[in-house]
Amino acid sequence: MRPVIVVAAAAVFAGAAAPSAQTPTFRFHGTIEPVRSQVVAVPRLTGTGNVPMVIVRLAKAGTVVRPGDSLVEFDRAAQIKNAHDREAEYRDFIEQINKKRADQAAARAKDETEVAQAITAVRRAELDMLDNDLIAPIKAEQNKLVLEEARAKVVQVRQTFELKRRSDAADLRILEIQRDRAHNAWKHAETNAEKMRIVSPIDGLVVLKTIWKSGSFGEMQEGEEVRGGQPILEVVDTSRMRVRTRVSQADVEYVRVGQKARITLDSYPSRQFAGRLDQLSAIGATSGLSSRVRTFLAVFTIDGADPHLLPDLSAAVDLDPEGR
């Protein structure tokens, strides 16, 4: 935007000569914005998808808040109920795991007894084999078959024992996974319930965001449904404000960082504030009208605080140019 050049001319009294020189002043137009602010958006809940939430409490526009003051609260009944259900499910899985471990301990003791009996049978058959030289050949052959059978049973019982232990470990692991899932769902539901109450992180003024609803723009209201990530309001620190504007490439060589300025609000033309140029972009952006014309972003800080300095108000910045 090409600034307006205002010429400050002295009043000419009757019979007095007009001044020989006039001091040009560059005027830039911009928007008031806070130096520090915090945008409050609808929280994204864990594990529930992008489900709509209902606003039950909302701070009024223009409310002065302190850190910890409530800004917005959503309906948390569903999340609290979900947290209680998941907690009950988690504790039920714990009891199932304890019962499963007790049953597996009893089954293991029974299987160990069966393995010990099979080993005892092998040793008894080995002792019977020592008498083969003293007994009939047919009886000796029977003892040999009994020993082979006992040894085969030991191998079979041990393999069955290992397979049962693996199966028991898998069954127990399944219950533990289900327990961990229920625990995570329980904690997620509690975290979601905590997210649905948002407090102010800084001192400032509440400014409600405008959204498109019912064919027109309007502010958020209690009872409306919103979705995760949607901005609701902004907490603005009104103690430090600034003006954001653009400087044409033809005039950028006349301004310097730290240069003093006079700032006037369009809504309150009788009020004037002192300020200075705080930031000036080093690279110009192309204009929307012509690719040959570039503008440079300039940020002017305003000295002091005033209740009339509110965000998004249009302002004029008067700047006395310095030499090239």
Side-chain angles (χ1 to χ4, degrees), residues 51-298:
V51 296
M53 290 177 283
V54 179
I55 301 176
V56 295
R57 292 181 182 177
L58 182 63
K60 302 297 183 182
T63 304
V64 178
V65 293
R66 305 296 180 190
D69 291 349
S70 178
L71 295 176
V72 58
E73 186 174 346
F74 304 92
D75 186 8
R76 301 186 293 174
Q79 293 298 327
I80 294 176
K81 180 180 181 300
N82 188 28
H84 291 165
D85 293 343
R86 299 292 80 77
E87 181 183 4
E89 185 178 353
Y90 167 72
R91 300 190 183 280
D92 180 64
F93 279 123
I94 290 180
E95 297 301 326
Q96 291 184 30
I97 290 174
N98 294 334
K99 183 177 181 299
K100 176 67 70 173
R101 286 175 176 170
D103 294 342
Q104 289 180 358
R108 183 186 181 92
K110 181 180 179 181
D111 294 339
E112 288 175 348
T113 301
E114 186 176 356
V115 172
Q117 291 176 352
I119 294 175
T120 302
V122 170
R123 293 176 179 175
R124 186 182 301 112
E126 290 175 349
L127 292 176
D128 294 340
M129 286 289 295
L130 298 176
D131 299 336
N132 285 350
D133 296 337
L134 305 176
I135 61 177
I138 188 170
K139 184 64 176 176
E141 187 66 23
Q142 288 179 354
N143 290 341
K144 182 179 180 181
L145 294 176
V146 170
L147 179 59
E148 292 177 356
E149 182 181 357
R151 288 175 175 174
K153 185 176 182 180
V154 169
V155 174
Q156 179 185 1
V157 169
R158 285 178 173 174
Q159 290 179 350
T160 304
F161 181 86
E162 295 297 331
L163 292 176
K164 285 184 177 180
R165 300 293 78 77
R166 292 180 183 178
S167 177
D168 291 346
D171 293 341
L172 188 62
R173 183 57 183 161
I174 290 174
L175 289 177
E176 289 176 349
I177 292 175
Q178 293 176 344
R179 176 204 61 188
D180 294 340
R181 287 180 177 176
H183 182 267
N184 292 337
W186 170 29
K187 293 304 179 182
H188 287 164
E190 285 187 342
T191 304
N192 290 340
E194 294 175 358
K195 288 181 179 179
M196 299 178 77
R197 182 180 181 273
I198 304 176
V199 298
S200 176
I202 60 174
D203 293 327
L205 186 72
V206 174
V207 179
L208 297 180
K209 293 289 186 179
T210 57
I211 60 172
W212 180 262
K213 57 180 181 179
S214 302
S216 61
F217 285 98
E219 296 179 345
M220 290 283 188
Q221 295 180 357
E222 295 180 355
E224 292 185 342
E225 287 189 351
V226 291
R227 294 187 178 272
Q230 187 175 359
I232 301 177
L233 55 87
E234 184 176 6
V235 181
V236 176
D237 184 4
T238 57
S239 62
R240 296 179 60 193
M241 304 295 284
R242 63 189 179 187
V243 181
R244 184 180 296 269
T245 183
R246 290 189 175 275
V247 180
S248 172
Q249 66 180 19
D251 308 310
V252 70
E253 58 186 349
Y254 294 101
V255 296
R256 296 290 183 271
V257 173
Q259 194 171 354
K260 295 183 179 180
R262 299 179 302 277
I263 300 168
T264 307
L265 300 179
D266 294 348
S267 302
Y268 306 96
S270 61
R271 293 184 175 272
Q272 191 174 83
F273 305 92
R276 61 183 178 83
L277 179 59
D278 186 62
Q279 299 177 24
L280 181 63
S281 61
I283 301 176
T286 57
S287 173
L289 301 177
S290 174
S291 60
R292 297 183 178 181
V293 178
R294 295 180 178 273
T295 57
F296 295 80
L297 180 64

